[in-house]
Amino acid sequence: MLKIVYPVCCGIDVHKKFVMATVGTTNQSGVTEYQTRKFSTFTEDLLRLLEWLKSMSCKHVCMESTGKYWHPVFNILEHDCVVVVANPKYVKGIRGKKTDKKDSIWLCDLHKHGLVPGSFIPPLPIRQIRDLMRYRFKLINFKSSEKNRVQNSLTVSNMMISNVVSDTFGVSSMRIIRHILDHPDDRDFDVSSMLHGNMKTKAETIVKSIHGHLTKPQADKMRVCLNHVDSIEKHIADMESVILELAQPYLPQIELILSLPGIKDVFTAIAILGEIGVDMSAFLSHKNLCSWAGLTPQNNESAGKKKSVRIARAGVYIKPLLVQCANAAIRSKACPYFKIRYDQIKKRRGHKKAIIAIAHKLLICIYQMLDKNEPFNDQLYNMDSNPKPKPTYAPQITEDMAIRYLETLGYQIPDKRINA
């Protein structure tokens, strides 16, 4: 019989409009009695759920992380119960034998034996920073999408200014584009007056690149896109001011993260902080953190055969962020360790696996820095940054070995004893 870890626990099957809660009470003989109730997801009913759990002396609760629907339940139960939010793939019921009541009982049974691994749920202030940073990331993606639409309009209008300038949306380029939009009939305007010093040498080439035909529909589309870009930039600035205010209590931890090579932007540090929090005791070890972030190869072996061990899909926000930091870290001259390690792995496994390995190492550094409350110390990596060449040993070739080698090449070596 499996060990009973929680004699009194609750399993909650969460839906959009209602939740099904089952409290299991196990006696000394190992017999469990179940009581199931249904509550709506309105705050008033969720408070009744909390009172019912208190009346049953139930402090341990388990529920699935179903979309965003678990958040209202978690907000009510967070302060009075120990809530385990489980990944659905770990608690999936048997197909064809599923009902809402059976699902809640199944969750209760798994949890009473301690078989449900809980998801990492940071405290409320960190969750708020995480939510705003993810929204900021979405706004930046929207901005990039609008810029791509403007670039497409220029391309279909035979205006290839992107072939001449490094940034189509730089100051000089935008002056030219906005002049074309405001004065569509002005074909012979002075381009050189709109360019800054380094670009004036390209004036003639730029004039040739903007010689195209911009139709009215494309011009109207570009105006809408550019206005939307300006609006999004304002929203990003407003969001960043709110994020900086929320991040004030965590400035010491942000400074620690900024000491790591490859991380120079304060919002990058805040984004990492919002994903993993500041309390590293929430993770069993740095290995557990890297596995949670999807930077560790999986174990997939059956019948003695190892199958694909590619990294998991976890960490959809923090993994791309750490990969960007890794690309910057391998270019850092202050700490060449990451560059050397990247080159070593790239020779054997290629760029993609090598950059994931560097992102993995950066996350380990962040874990140790936050856990020990110490900034990054590049002196610890001096020995690794200057690997000593392996000693080479010259083979000792004997006379008999030389004779055998010559015989394999077709030479006939007379016997020394006969000559003697």
Side-chain angles (χ1 to χ4, degrees):
M1 184 176 179
L2 291 174
K3 179 182 178 181
I4 303 296
V5 180
Y6 305 114
V8 182
C9 65
C10 177
I12 301 179
D13 188 33
V14 182
H15 300 277
K16 180 180 180 180
K17 296 183 179 180
F18 67 90
V19 298
M20 191 71 71
T22 297
V23 174
T25 305
T26 307
N27 57 24
Q28 297 291 336
S29 303
V31 179
T32 304
E33 295 183 357
Y34 302 98
Q35 295 188 36
T36 304
R37 288 193 182 183
K38 183 179 179 180
F39 301 89
S40 73
T41 52
F42 296 147
T43 303
E44 182 180 358
D45 260 21
L46 294 179
L47 290 172
R48 288 200 303 110
L49 168 63
L50 176 60
E51 293 301 323
W52 179 58
L53 293 177
K54 288 181 178 179
S55 66
M56 300 290 291
S57 301
C58 178
K59 291 187 177 181
H60 298 279
V61 178
C62 175
M63 60 182 175
E64 286 184 354
S65 57
T66 309
K68 294 290 184 180
Y69 300 143
W70 63 271
H71 283 270
V73 185
F74 186 85
N75 293 337
I76 299 297
L77 304 181
E78 179 181 8
H79 302 291
D80 298 287
C81 301
V82 180
V83 184
V84 173
V85 181
N87 192 314
K89 70 178 181 180
Y90 297 133
V91 293
K92 185 177 292 186
I94 300 173
R95 186 176 181 182
K97 298 183 179 180
K98 283 169 54 63
T99 63
D100 295 334
K101 183 176 180 179
K102 287 183 179 180
D103 283 347
S104 64
I105 295 175
W106 176 246
L107 287 170
C108 181
D109 282 337
L110 290 176
H111 192 50
K112 76 179 180 182
H113 296 298
L115 298 176
V116 182
S119 301
F120 169 60
I121 309 295
L124 181 60
I126 298 294
R127 294 204 303 270
Q128 291 174 341
I129 293 176
R130 172 193 285 185
D131 184 53
L132 294 183
M133 284 303 301
R134 289 181 177 181
Y135 181 55
R136 175 182 176 270
F137 175 70
K138 295 291 185 183
L139 289 176
I140 292 174
N141 289 341
F142 295 154
K143 177 182 173 183
S144 299
S145 298
E146 293 295 347
K147 285 186 174 181
N148 290 338
R149 293 185 181 96
V150 173
Q151 183 61 61
N152 291 340
S153 295
L154 290 173
T155 302
V156 299
S157 302
N158 291 12
M159 294 187 177
M160 310 304 294
I161 191 173
S162 60
N163 293 351
V164 184
V165 299
S166 58
D167 183 12
T168 307
F169 298 91
V171 177
S172 300
S173 302
M174 287 307 301
R175 288 175 184 169
I176 297 172
I177 292 173
R178 291 191 182 278
H179 181 84
I180 295 173
L181 292 176
D182 295 338
H183 307 87
D185 298 328
D186 188 4
R187 298 282 181 171
D188 300 324
F189 61 94
D190 185 13
V191 173
S192 59
S193 62
M194 301 180 183
L195 304 177
H196 63 263
N198 295 332
M199 292 184 63
K200 287 186 177 180
T201 56
K202 302 179 180 179
E204 293 183 4
T205 310
I206 292 176
V207 170
K208 295 178 181 178
S209 68
I210 61 175
H211 182 69
H213 179 62
L214 182 64
T215 61
K216 186 177 183 303
Q218 290 295 337
D220 293 338
K221 175 186 174 183
M222 289 177 60
R223 290 190 190 94
V224 172
C225 292
L226 291 174
N227 290 335
H228 194 193
V229 168
D230 294 338
S231 177
I232 291 174
E233 288 178 345
K234 181 180 181 302
H235 295 325
I236 292 175
D238 294 340
M239 192 59 57
E240 288 177 349
S241 64
V242 177
I243 292 169
L244 289 174
E245 184 177 354
L246 287 174
Q248 288 298 316
Y250 306 104
L251 286 180
Q253 290 82 6
I254 293 172
E255 292 294 333
L256 293 178
I257 297 176
L258 288 173
S259 66
L260 190 65
I263 303 178
K264 300 301 180 184
D265 183 19
V266 65
F267 289 103
T268 302
I270 294 175
I272 295 174
L273 197 72
E275 294 296 330
I276 67 175
V278 296
D279 184 14
M280 294 297 101
S281 63
F283 302 95
L284 298 177
S285 65
H286 66 268
K287 295 182 180 180
N288 181 253
L289 172 60
C290 293
S291 177
W292 172 84
L295 293 171
T296 303
Q298 301 179 87
N299 291 328
N300 190 2
E301 182 178 349
S302 180
K305 297 180 180 179
K306 290 187 177 181
K307 302 181 182 180
S308 174
V309 293
R310 64 189 308 167
I311 57 176
R313 296 182 180 179
V316 293
Y317 286 95
I318 190 172
K319 190 193 304 180
L321 188 62
L322 289 172
V323 168
Q324 290 180 4
C325 297
N327 279 294
I330 62 177
R331 294 176 175 84
S332 174
K333 296 182 180 178
C335 181
Y337 166 76
F338 295 105
K339 171 63 175 175
I340 295 173
R341 188 61 184 145
Y342 167 80
D343 290 337
Q344 291 173 345
I345 301 174
K346 183 182 177 182
K347 290 178 182 178
R348 297 180 288 109
R349 308 304 300 274
H351 165 73
K352 292 183 178 180
K353 290 183 174 63
I355 207 66
I356 288 293
I358 300 303
H360 180 274
K361 289 185 177 294
L362 289 179
L363 188 56
I364 293 176
C365 292
I366 292 172
Y367 174 90
Q368 298 294 345
M369 289 156 55
L370 293 178
D371 186 46
K372 299 178 181 179
N373 197 25
E374 296 178 357
F376 179 76
N377 184 6
D378 57 349
Q379 299 298 323
L380 299 175
Y381 297 88
N382 281 343
M383 293 181 61
D384 293 331
S385 299
N386 301 292
K388 297 180 180 179
K390 295 182 180 180
T392 57
Y393 299 96
Q396 299 294 329
I397 300 177
T398 63
E399 185 179 355
D400 292 336
M401 292 170 61
I403 291 173
R404 286 197 301 270
Y405 176 69
L406 291 173
E407 288 176 345
T408 59
L409 297 177
Y411 294 97
Q412 294 182 359
I413 308 299
D415 192 351
K416 292 184 295 183
R417 292 173 299 179
I418 297 177
N419 294 337

